[in-house]
Coordinates of all heavy atoms in Angstrom, one line a residue:
V599 N 0.9 -1.2 0.0 CA 0.0 0.0 0.0 C 0.9 1.2 0.0 O 1.9 1.3 0.8 CB -0.9 0.0 1.2 CG1 -1.9 1.2 1.2 CG2 -1.7 -1.3 1.3
A600 N 0.6 2.2 -0.8 CA 1.4 3.4 -0.9 C 1.2 4.3 0.3 O 0.2 4.2 1.0 CB 1.0 4.2 -2.2
L601 N 2.3 5.0 0.6 CA 2.3 5.9 1.8 C 1.1 6.8 1.7 O 0.4 7.1 2.7 CB 3.6 6.6 1.9 CG 3.6 7.7 2.9 CD1 3.5 7.2 4.3 CD2 4.9 8.6 2.8
E602 N 0.9 7.4 0.5 CA -0.2 8.3 0.3 C -1.5 7.8 0.7 O -2.4 8.4 1.2 CB -0.2 8.9 -1.1 CG 1.0 9.8 -1.4 CD 2.3 9.1 -1.5 OE1 2.4 7.9 -1.7 OE2 3.3 9.8 -1.4
E603 N -1.7 6.5 0.3 CA -3.0 5.8 0.6 C -3.2 5.7 2.2 O -4.3 5.8 2.7 CB -3.1 4.5 0.0 CG -3.2 4.6 -1.5 CD -3.2 3.2 -2.2 OE1 -3.8 2.3 -1.7 OE2 -2.4 3.1 -3.2
K604 N -2.1 5.3 2.8 CA -2.1 5.2 4.3 C -2.5 6.5 4.9 O -3.3 6.6 5.8 CB -0.8 4.7 4.8 CG -0.6 3.2 4.6 CD 0.7 2.7 5.2 CE 0.9 1.3 4.9 NZ 2.3 0.9 5.3
L605 N -1.8 7.6 4.4 CA -2.0 8.9 5.0 C -3.5 9.3 4.8 O -4.1 10.0 5.6 CB -1.1 9.9 4.3 CG 0.4 9.8 4.7 CD1 1.2 10.7 3.9 CD2 0.6 10.0 6.2
F606 N -4.1 8.8 3.7 CA -5.4 9.2 3.4 C -6.4 8.6 4.4 O -7.5 9.1 4.5 CB -5.8 8.7 2.0 CG -7.1 9.3 1.4 CD1 -7.2 10.6 1.1 CD2 -8.2 8.4 1.2 CE1 -8.4 11.1 0.6 CE2 -9.4 8.9 0.8 CZ -9.5 10.3 0.5
T607 N -6.0 7.6 5.1 CA -6.9 7.0 6.1 C -6.9 7.7 7.4 O -7.6 7.3 8.3 CB -6.5 5.5 6.3 OG1 -5.3 5.5 7.0 CG2 -6.5 4.7 5.1
I608 N -6.2 8.8 7.5 CA -6.1 9.5 8.7 C -6.8 10.9 8.6 O -6.5 11.6 7.6 CB -4.6 9.7 9.1 CG1 -4.0 8.4 9.5 CG2 -4.4 10.8 10.2 CD1 -2.5 8.4 9.6
R609 N -7.7 11.1 9.5 CA -8.3 12.4 9.5 C -7.4 13.3 10.4 O -7.1 12.9 11.5 CB -9.7 12.3 10.1 CG -10.8 12.1 9.1 CD -12.1 12.1 9.8 NE -12.1 11.1 10.8 CZ -12.7 11.3 12.0 NH1 -13.2 12.5 12.3 NH2 -12.7 10.4 12.9
Y610 N -7.2 14.5 10.0 CA -6.4 15.4 10.8 C -7.1 16.7 11.1 O -7.6 17.3 10.2 CB -5.1 15.7 10.0 CG -4.1 16.4 10.9 CD1 -3.2 15.6 11.7 CD2 -4.0 17.8 11.0 CE1 -2.3 16.2 12.6 CE2 -3.1 18.4 11.9 CZ -2.3 17.6 12.6 OH -1.4 18.2 13.5
R611 N -7.1 17.0 12.4 CA -7.6 18.3 12.8 C -6.4 19.1 13.2 O -5.8 18.8 14.2 CB -8.5 18.2 14.0 CG -9.8 17.5 13.7 CD -10.8 17.5 14.9 NE -10.2 16.7 16.0 CZ -10.5 15.5 16.2 NH1 -11.3 14.8 15.5 NH2 -10.0 14.8 17.2
A612 N -6.0 20.0 12.4 CA -4.7 20.8 12.6 C -4.8 21.6 13.9 O -5.8 22.3 14.2 CB -4.5 21.7 11.4
D613 N -3.7 21.4 14.6 CA -3.5 22.2 15.8 C -3.2 23.7 15.4 O -2.6 23.9 14.3 CB -2.4 21.6 16.7 CG -2.5 22.0 18.1 OD1 -3.4 22.9 18.4 OD2 -1.7 21.5 18.9
R614 N -3.4 24.6 16.2 CA -3.1 26.0 15.8 C -1.6 26.2 15.9 O -1.1 26.9 15.1 CB -3.8 27.0 16.8 CG -5.1 27.4 16.2 CD -5.9 28.2 17.3 NE -6.2 27.4 18.5 CZ -6.8 27.8 19.5 NH1 -7.1 29.0 19.7 NH2 -7.0 27.0 20.5
A615 N -0.9 25.6 16.8 CA 0.5 25.8 16.9 C 1.2 24.4 16.8 O 0.6 23.4 17.0 CB 0.9 26.4 18.3
S616 N 2.4 24.5 16.3 CA 3.1 23.2 16.1 C 3.4 22.5 17.4 O 3.8 23.2 18.4 CB 4.5 23.5 15.4 OG 5.2 22.3 15.3
H617 N 3.3 21.2 17.5 CA 3.7 20.5 18.7 C 5.1 20.0 18.5 O 5.6 19.3 19.4 CB 2.7 19.3 18.9 CG 2.7 18.3 17.8 ND1 2.1 18.6 16.5 CD2 3.1 17.0 17.7 CE1 2.3 17.6 15.8 NE2 2.9 16.6 16.4
L618 N 5.7 20.3 17.4 CA 7.1 19.9 17.1 C 7.9 21.2 16.9 O 7.5 22.0 16.2 CB 7.2 19.1 15.8 CG 6.4 17.7 15.8 CD1 6.3 17.2 14.4 CD2 7.2 16.7 16.7
A619 N 9.0 21.2 17.6 CA 9.9 22.4 17.4 C 11.4 22.0 17.5 O 11.7 21.0 18.2 CB 9.6 23.4 18.4
I620 N 12.2 22.7 16.7 CA 13.6 22.5 16.8 C 14.2 23.4 17.8 O 13.9 24.6 17.9 CB 14.3 22.8 15.4 CG1 13.8 21.8 14.3 CG2 15.8 22.9 15.5 CD1 14.4 20.4 14.5
R621 N 14.9 22.8 18.8 CA 15.5 23.7 19.8 C 16.6 24.6 19.3 O 16.7 25.7 19.6 CB 16.1 22.8 20.9 CG 15.0 22.0 21.7 CD 15.7 21.2 22.8 NE 14.9 20.0 23.1 CZ 13.9 20.0 24.0 NH1 13.6 21.1 24.7 NH2 13.2 18.9 24.3
D622 N 17.5 24.0 18.4 CA 18.6 24.8 17.9 C 18.9 24.3 16.5 O 19.4 23.2 16.3 CB 19.8 24.6 18.8 CG 21.0 25.4 18.4 OD1 21.0 26.1 17.4 OD2 22.0 25.4 19.2
H623 N 18.7 25.2 15.5 CA 18.9 24.8 14.1 C 20.4 24.6 13.8 O 20.7 23.9 12.9 CB 18.3 25.9 13.2 CG 16.8 25.9 13.2 ND1 16.0 25.2 12.3 CD2 15.9 26.5 14.1 CE1 14.7 25.4 12.6 NE2 14.6 26.2 13.7
A624 N 21.2 25.2 14.6 CA 22.7 25.0 14.4 C 23.1 23.6 14.7 O 24.0 23.1 14.0 CB 23.4 26.0 15.3
V625 N 22.4 23.0 15.6 CA 22.7 21.5 15.9 C 22.3 20.7 14.7 O 23.0 19.8 14.3 CB 21.9 21.1 17.2 CG1 22.1 19.6 17.4 CG2 22.4 21.9 18.4
C626 N 21.2 21.0 14.0 CA 20.8 20.3 12.8 C 21.8 20.5 11.7 O 22.0 19.6 10.9 CB 19.4 20.8 12.4 SG 18.1 20.4 13.5
A627 N 22.4 21.7 11.6 CA 23.3 21.9 10.6 C 24.5 21.0 10.6 O 25.1 20.6 9.6 CB 23.8 23.4 10.6
A628 N 24.9 20.6 11.8 CA 26.1 19.7 12.0 C 25.7 18.3 12.2 O 26.5 17.5 12.5 CB 26.8 20.2 13.3
C629 N 24.4 17.9 11.8 CA 23.9 16.6 12.1 C 23.8 15.8 10.7 O 23.7 16.5 9.7 CB 22.6 16.7 12.7 SG 21.7 15.2 13.1
S630 N 23.8 14.5 10.8 CA 23.6 13.7 9.6 C 22.1 13.6 9.2 O 21.7 13.1 8.2 CB 24.2 12.3 9.7 OG 23.6 11.7 10.8
R631 N 21.3 14.2 10.1 CA 19.9 14.3 9.9 C 19.1 13.0 9.7 O 18.4 12.9 8.7 CB 19.6 15.4 8.8 CG 20.1 16.8 9.2 CD 19.7 17.8 8.2 NE 20.6 17.9 7.0 CZ 21.7 18.5 7.0 NH1 22.2 19.1 8.0 NH2 22.4 18.5 5.9
P632 N 19.2 12.1 10.6 CA 18.4 10.9 10.5 C 16.9 11.1 10.5 O 16.1 10.4 10.0 CB 18.8 10.0 11.7 CG 19.4 11.0 12.7 CD 20.0 12.1 11.8
C633 N 16.5 12.2 11.1 CA 15.0 12.5 11.2 C 14.4 12.6 9.9 O 13.3 12.2 9.7 CB 14.8 13.8 12.0 SG 15.7 15.3 11.3
E634 N 15.1 13.1 8.9 CA 14.6 13.2 7.5 C 14.2 11.9 7.0 O 13.2 11.8 6.3 CB 15.6 14.0 6.6 CG 15.7 15.4 6.9 CD 16.6 16.1 5.8 OE1 17.7 15.5 5.5 OE2 16.3 17.2 5.4
S635 N 15.0 10.9 7.2 CA 14.8 9.6 6.6 C 13.9 8.7 7.4 O 13.2 7.8 6.9 CB 16.1 8.9 6.3 OG 16.9 8.8 7.4
V636 N 13.8 8.9 8.8 CA 13.0 8.0 9.6 C 11.5 8.4 9.6 O 10.7 7.6 9.9 CB 13.5 7.8 11.0 CG1 14.9 7.2 11.0 CG2 13.4 9.1 11.8
C637 N 11.3 9.6 9.4 CA 9.9 10.1 9.5 C 9.0 9.6 8.4 O 9.3 9.8 7.2 CB 9.8 11.6 9.5 SG 8.1 12.3 9.6
P638 N 8.0 8.8 8.7 CA 7.1 8.3 7.7 C 6.3 9.3 7.0 O 5.7 9.1 5.9 CB 6.2 7.3 8.4 CG 6.2 7.8 9.8 CD 7.5 8.5 10.1
A639 N 6.2 10.5 7.6 CA 5.3 11.6 7.0 C 6.1 12.7 6.4 O 5.5 13.7 6.0 CB 4.4 12.1 8.1
R640 N 7.4 12.5 6.3 CA 8.3 13.5 5.7 C 8.1 14.9 6.3 O 7.9 15.9 5.6 CB 8.1 13.6 4.2 CG 8.4 12.2 3.5 CD 8.5 12.3 2.0 NE 8.5 11.0 1.5 CZ 7.5 10.5 0.7 NH1 6.4 11.2 0.4 NH2 7.5 9.2 0.3
V641 N 8.1 14.9 7.6 CA 7.9 16.2 8.3 C 9.1 17.1 8.3 O 9.0 18.3 8.2 CB 7.5 15.9 9.8 CG1 7.6 17.2 10.6 CG2 6.0 15.3 9.8
W642 N 10.3 16.4 8.4 CA 11.5 17.2 8.5 C 12.2 17.4 7.2 O 12.4 16.4 6.4 CB 12.5 16.4 9.5 CG 11.8 16.1 10.7 CD1 11.2 14.8 11.0 CD2 11.5 16.9 11.9 NE1 10.7 14.9 12.3 CE2 10.8 16.1 12.8 CE3 11.9 18.2 12.2 CZ2 10.4 16.6 14.1 CZ3 11.5 18.7 13.4 CH2 10.8 17.9 14.3
E643 N 12.6 18.6 6.9 CA 13.3 18.9 5.7 C 14.3 20.0 5.9 O 13.9 21.1 6.2 CB 12.4 19.2 4.5 CG 13.1 19.3 3.2 CD 12.2 19.7 2.0 OE1 11.0 19.7 2.2 OE2 12.8 20.1 1.0
W644 N 15.6 19.7 5.8 CA 16.7 20.6 6.0 C 16.7 21.6 4.8 O 16.8 21.2 3.7 CB 18.0 19.9 6.1 CG 19.1 20.9 6.3 CD1 20.2 21.1 5.4 CD2 19.4 21.8 7.4 NE1 21.0 22.1 5.9 CE2 20.6 22.5 7.2 CE3 18.7 22.0 8.6 CZ2 21.1 23.4 8.1 CZ3 19.2 22.9 9.5 CH2 20.4 23.6 9.3
K645 N 16.6 22.9 5.1 CA 16.7 24.0 4.1 C 18.1 24.6 4.2 O 18.4 25.5 5.1 CB 15.7 25.0 4.4 CG 14.2 24.5 4.3 CD 14.0 24.2 2.8 CE 12.6 23.7 2.6 NZ 12.3 23.3 1.2
A646 N 19.0 24.0 3.4 CA 20.4 24.4 3.5 C 20.7 25.9 3.3 O 21.5 26.5 4.0 CB 21.3 23.6 2.6
E647 N 20.0 26.4 2.3 CA 20.2 27.8 2.0 C 19.7 28.8 3.1 O 20.3 29.9 3.2 CB 19.7 28.2 0.6 CG 18.2 27.9 0.3 CD 17.7 26.5 0.4 OE1 18.4 25.5 0.3 OE2 16.4 26.4 0.6
E648 N 18.8 28.3 3.9 CA 18.3 29.1 5.0 C 18.9 28.7 6.3 O 18.6 29.4 7.3 CB 16.7 29.0 5.1 CG 16.0 29.5 3.8 CD 14.6 29.0 3.7 OE1 13.9 28.9 4.7 OE2 14.2 28.5 2.6
G649 N 19.6 27.6 6.3 CA 20.2 27.2 7.6 C 19.2 26.8 8.7 O 19.4 27.0 9.9
R650 N 18.1 26.2 8.2 CA 17.1 25.8 9.2 C 16.4 24.5 8.8 O 16.3 24.2 7.6 CB 16.1 26.9 9.5 CG 15.2 27.2 8.3 CD 14.1 28.2 8.5 NE 13.3 28.3 7.3 CZ 12.2 27.6 7.1 NH1 11.8 26.8 8.0 NH2 11.6 27.7 6.0
M651 N 15.8 23.9 9.8 CA 15.0 22.7 9.6 C 13.6 23.1 9.4 O 13.0 23.8 10.2 CB 15.2 21.7 10.8 CG 14.4 20.5 10.6 SD 14.9 19.4 9.2 CE 16.5 18.7 9.9
Q652 N 13.0 22.7 8.2 CA 11.6 23.0 8.0 C 10.8 21.9 8.7 O 11.1 20.7 8.6 CB 11.3 23.0 6.5 CG 9.9 23.2 6.1 CD 9.7 23.3 4.6 OE1 9.9 24.3 4.0 NE2 9.3 22.1 4.0
V653 N 9.7 22.3 9.4 CA 8.9 21.3 10.1 C 7.5 21.3 9.6 O 6.7 22.2 10.0 CB 9.0 21.6 11.7 CG1 8.3 20.5 12.5 CG2 10.4 21.8 12.1
A654 N 7.1 20.3 8.9 CA 5.7 20.2 8.3 C 4.9 19.5 9.4 O 4.4 18.4 9.2 CB 5.7 19.5 7.0
F655 N 4.7 20.2 10.5 CA 4.1 19.5 11.7 C 2.6 19.0 11.4 O 2.1 18.1 12.0 CB 4.1 20.4 12.9 CG 3.2 21.6 12.8 CD1 1.9 21.6 13.3 CD2 3.7 22.8 12.3 CE1 1.1 22.7 13.2 CE2 2.9 23.9 12.2 CZ 1.6 23.9 12.6
E656 N 2.0 19.6 10.4 CA 0.6 19.2 10.1 C 0.5 17.8 9.6 O -0.5 17.1 9.7 CB 0.0 20.1 9.0 CG 0.0 21.6 9.3 CD 1.3 22.3 8.8 OE1 2.3 21.6 8.6 OE2 1.3 23.5 8.6
N657 N 1.7 17.3 9.1 CA 1.7 15.9 8.5 C 2.0 14.9 9.6 O 2.0 13.7 9.3 CB 2.7 15.8 7.4 CG 2.4 16.7 6.2 OD1 1.2 17.1 6.0 ND2 3.4 17.1 5.4
C658 N 2.4 15.3 10.8 CA 2.9 14.4 11.8 C 1.9 13.3 12.2 O 0.7 13.6 12.4 CB 3.4 15.2 13.0 SG 3.9 14.1 14.3
L659 N 2.3 12.1 12.3 CA 1.5 11.0 12.6 C 1.6 10.6 14.1 O 1.0 9.6 14.6 CB 1.8 9.7 11.8 CG 1.8 9.9 10.3 CD1 2.4 8.7 9.6 CD2 0.4 10.2 9.8
E660 N 2.4 11.4 14.8 CA 2.7 11.2 16.2 C 3.2 9.8 16.6 O 2.8 9.2 17.6 CB 1.4 11.5 17.0 CG 0.9 12.9 16.9 CD -0.5 13.2 17.4 OE1 -0.9 12.5 18.2 OE2 -1.1 14.2 16.9
C661 N 4.1 9.3 15.7 CA 4.6 8.0 15.9 C 5.8 8.0 16.9 O 6.1 7.0 17.6 CB 5.1 7.4 14.6 SG 6.6 8.2 13.9
G662 N 6.4 9.2 17.1 CA 7.5 9.3 18.1 C 8.8 8.9 17.6 O 9.8 9.0 18.4
T663 N 9.0 8.4 16.4 CA 10.2 7.9 15.9 C 11.3 9.0 15.9 O 12.5 8.7 16.2 CB 10.1 7.3 14.5 OG1 9.0 6.4 14.5 CG2 11.4 6.6 14.0
C664 N 11.0 10.2 15.5 CA 12.0 11.2 15.4 C 12.6 11.5 16.7 O 13.8 11.9 16.8 CB 11.4 12.5 14.8 SG 10.0 13.1 15.7
R665 N 11.9 11.4 17.8 CA 12.4 11.7 19.1 C 13.5 10.7 19.5 O 14.5 11.0 20.2 CB 11.3 11.7 20.2 CG 10.5 12.9 20.2 CD 9.6 13.0 21.4 NE 8.7 11.8 21.5 CZ 7.9 11.6 22.6 NH1 7.9 12.5 23.6 NH2 7.1 10.6 22.6
I666 N 13.3 9.5 19.0 CA 14.3 8.4 19.3 C 15.5 8.6 18.3 O 16.7 8.5 18.7 CB 13.7 7.0 19.1 CG1 12.6 6.8 20.1 CG2 14.8 6.0 19.2 CD1 11.6 5.7 19.7
A667 N 15.2 9.0 17.1 CA 16.3 9.2 16.1 C 17.2 10.3 16.4 O 18.4 10.3 16.1 CB 15.6 9.3 14.7
C668 N 16.6 11.4 17.0 CA 17.4 12.6 17.3 C 18.2 12.4 18.6 O 17.7 12.6 19.6 CB 16.5 13.8 17.4 SG 17.5 15.3 17.7
R669 N 19.4 11.9 18.4 CA 20.2 11.6 19.6 C 20.7 12.9 20.3 O 21.1 12.8 21.5 CB 21.5 10.8 19.2 CG 21.1 9.5 18.6 CD 22.1 8.4 18.8 NE 21.9 7.3 17.9 CZ 22.6 7.2 16.7 NH1 23.5 8.0 16.4 NH2 22.3 6.1 16.0
Q670 N 20.6 14.0 19.6 CA 21.0 15.3 20.3 C 19.8 15.8 21.2 O 20.0 16.8 21.8 CB 21.3 16.3 19.2 CG 22.6 16.0 18.4 CD 22.3 15.2 17.2 OE1 21.3 14.4 17.1 NE2 23.2 15.2 16.2
G671 N 18.7 15.2 21.1 CA 17.6 15.7 21.9 C 17.1 17.1 21.4 O 16.7 17.9 22.2
N672 N 17.3 17.3 20.1 CA 17.0 18.7 19.6 C 15.6 18.9 19.2 O 15.3 20.0 18.7 CB 18.0 18.9 18.4 CG 18.2 20.3 18.1 OD1 18.1 21.2 19.0 ND2 18.4 20.6 16.8
I673 N 14.7 17.9 19.3 CA 13.3 18.0 19.0 C 12.5 18.2 20.2 O 12.5 17.4 21.1 CB 12.8 16.8 18.2 CG1 13.6 16.7 16.8 CG2 11.3 16.9 17.9 CD1 13.3 15.4 16.1
D674 N 11.8 19.4 20.3 CA 10.9 19.6 21.4 C 9.5 19.1 21.0 O 8.9 19.6 20.0 CB 10.9 21.1 21.6 CG 10.1 21.5 22.9 OD1 9.7 20.6 23.6 OD2 9.8 22.7 23.1
W675 N 9.1 18.0 21.6 CA 7.9 17.3 21.1 C 6.8 17.3 22.2 O 7.0 16.9 23.3 CB 8.3 15.8 20.9 CG 7.6 15.0 19.9 CD1 8.0 14.8 18.6 CD2 6.4 14.3 20.1 NE1 7.0 14.0 18.0 CE2 6.1 13.7 18.9 CE3 5.5 14.1 21.2 CZ2 4.9 12.8 18.7 CZ3 4.4 13.3 21.0 CH2 4.1 12.7 19.8
R676 N 5.7 17.9 21.9 CA 4.6 17.9 22.8 C 3.4 17.3 22.2 O 3.2 17.5 21.0 CB 4.3 19.4 23.2 CG 5.2 20.0 24.2 CD 5.0 21.5 24.3 NE 6.3 22.2 24.1 CZ 6.4 23.4 23.7 NH1 5.4 24.2 23.5 NH2 7.6 23.9 23.6
Y677 N 2.5 16.7 23.0 CA 1.3 16.3 22.4 C 0.4 17.5 22.1 O 0.4 18.4 22.8 CB 0.6 15.3 23.4 CG 1.2 14.0 23.5 CD1 2.2 13.7 24.4 CD2 0.8 13.0 22.5 CE1 2.8 12.4 24.4 CE2 1.4 11.8 22.5 CZ 2.4 11.5 23.5 OH 3.0 10.3 23.5
P678 N -0.3 17.4 20.9 CA -1.2 18.5 20.5 C -2.2 18.8 21.6 O -2.6 17.9 22.4 CB -1.8 18.0 19.3 CG -0.9 16.9 18.7 CD -0.3 16.3 20.0
T679 N -2.6 20.0 21.7 CA -3.6 20.4 22.7 C -4.9 19.6 22.5 O -5.2 19.1 21.4 CB -3.9 21.9 22.6 OG1 -4.2 22.2 21.3 CG2 -2.7 22.7 23.0
G680 N -5.7 19.5 23.5 CA -6.9 18.7 23.5 C -7.8 18.9 22.3 O -8.1 20.0 22.0
G681 N -8.2 17.8 21.7 CA -9.1 17.8 20.6 C -8.4 17.9 19.2 O -8.9 17.5 18.2
A682 N -7.2 18.4 19.2 CA -6.4 18.5 18.0 C -5.6 17.2 17.8 O -5.6 16.3 18.6 CB -5.5 19.7 18.0
G683 N -4.8 17.2 16.7 CA -4.0 16.0 16.5 C -4.8 15.1 15.6 O -5.7 15.5 14.9
I684 N -4.3 13.8 15.6 CA -4.9 12.9 14.6 C -6.0 12.0 15.2 O -6.0 11.8 16.4 CB -3.8 12.0 13.9 CG1 -3.1 11.2 15.0 CG2 -2.9 12.9 13.1 CD1 -2.2 10.1 14.3
A685 N -6.9 11.6 14.4 CA -7.9 10.6 14.8 C -7.8 9.4 13.8 O -8.0 9.6 12.6 CB -9.2 11.2 14.9
Y686 N -7.5 8.2 14.3 CA -7.4 7.1 13.4 C -8.8 6.6 13.1 O -9.7 6.6 13.9 CB -6.6 6.0 14.0 CG -5.1 6.3 13.9 CD1 -4.5 6.8 15.1 CD2 -4.4 6.1 12.8 CE1 -3.1 7.1 15.0 CE2 -3.0 6.4 12.7 CZ -2.4 6.9 13.9 OH -1.1 7.2 13.9
R687 N -9.0 6.3 11.8 CA -10.3 5.8 11.4 C -10.3 4.3 11.2 O -9.4 3.8 10.5 CB -10.7 6.5 10.1 CG -12.1 6.3 9.6 CD -12.5 7.2 8.5 NE -11.6 7.1 7.4 CZ -11.4 8.1 6.5 NH1 -12.0 9.2 6.6 NH2 -10.6 7.9 5.4
Y688 N -11.2 3.6 11.9 CA -11.2 2.2 11.8 C -12.3 1.7 10.9 O -13.4 2.3 10.9 CB -11.4 1.5 13.2 CG -10.2 1.8 14.1 CD1 -10.3 2.9 15.0 CD2 -9.0 1.1 14.0 CE1 -9.2 3.2 15.9 CE2 -8.0 1.4 14.9 CZ -8.1 2.4 15.8 OH -7.0 2.7 16.6
G689 N -12.1 0.6 10.2 CA -13.1 0.0 9.4 C -13.3 0.7 8.1 O -12.7 1.7 7.7
Ligands
LIG2179 FE1 18.2 18.2 13.9 FE2 17.8 16.1 15.5 FE3 17.1 15.9 12.9 FE4 19.7 16.0 13.7 S1 18.2 14.4 14.1 S2 18.7 17.1 12.0 S3 19.6 17.4 15.4 S4 16.2 17.3 14.5
LIG2180 FE1 7.6 12.1 11.8 FE2 6.7 10.4 13.6 FE3 8.3 12.4 14.3 FE4 5.8 12.9 13.6 S1 6.5 11.8 15.4 S2 7.6 14.0 12.9 S3 5.5 11.3 12.0 S4 8.8 10.7 13.0

């Protein structure tokens, strides 16, 4: 099953503010950036010309993998505020 099809099975109520944040973009600049490859939703994308990590938090599936992958602890990860975030659809 294609990733896009899986993502289609998820209803998302976007939070007003990101629940994911980079603590220090300079740390990302010096990193091999495993977050980019482990994230199933392609949330993380390094913008070399801007020297910052782009965070497409709206796509996040809340799997938690990036927190483990980021050995520098550079990802500030909070659960979305009540009512927001994802709702999995069964059946
Ligand atoms: Fe930045 Fe952590 Fe990703 Fe490395 S793994 S690029 S430090 S968020
Ligand atoms: Fe990607 Fe999962 Fe991290 Fe969300 S929690 S940004 S889906 S790796």
Side-chain angles (χ1 to χ4, degrees):
V599 183
L601 172 66
E602 286 72 20
E603 291 174 45
K604 285 183 182 167
L605 290 175
F606 191 69
T607 65
I608 289 165
R609 272 183 302 138
Y610 192 85
R611 292 185 296 265
D613 203 355
R614 269 170 296 176
S616 176
H617 61 292
L618 297 165
I620 293 293
R621 294 182 205 273
D622 185 352
H623 290 268
V625 173
C626 297
C629 179
S630 61
R631 296 188 280 277
C633 56
E634 287 183 318
S635 51
V636 299
C637 175
R640 301 190 191 115
V641 166
W642 310 97
E643 188 183 346
W644 178 247
K645 296 291 181 184
E647 52 304 335
E648 297 160 44
R650 66 176 184 91
M651 181 62 77
Q652 177 177 279
V653 187
F655 68 91
E656 304 92 335
N657 297 337
C658 176
L659 306 171
E660 298 168 26
C661 69
T663 310
C664 56
R665 284 194 298 178
I666 299 162
C668 181
R669 297 208 197 99
Q670 292 88 337
N672 201 29
I673 296 173
D674 186 10
W675 208 97
R676 281 169 232 160
Y677 283 95
T679 51
I684 60 169
Y686 286 97
R687 190 164 59 201
Y688 296 99

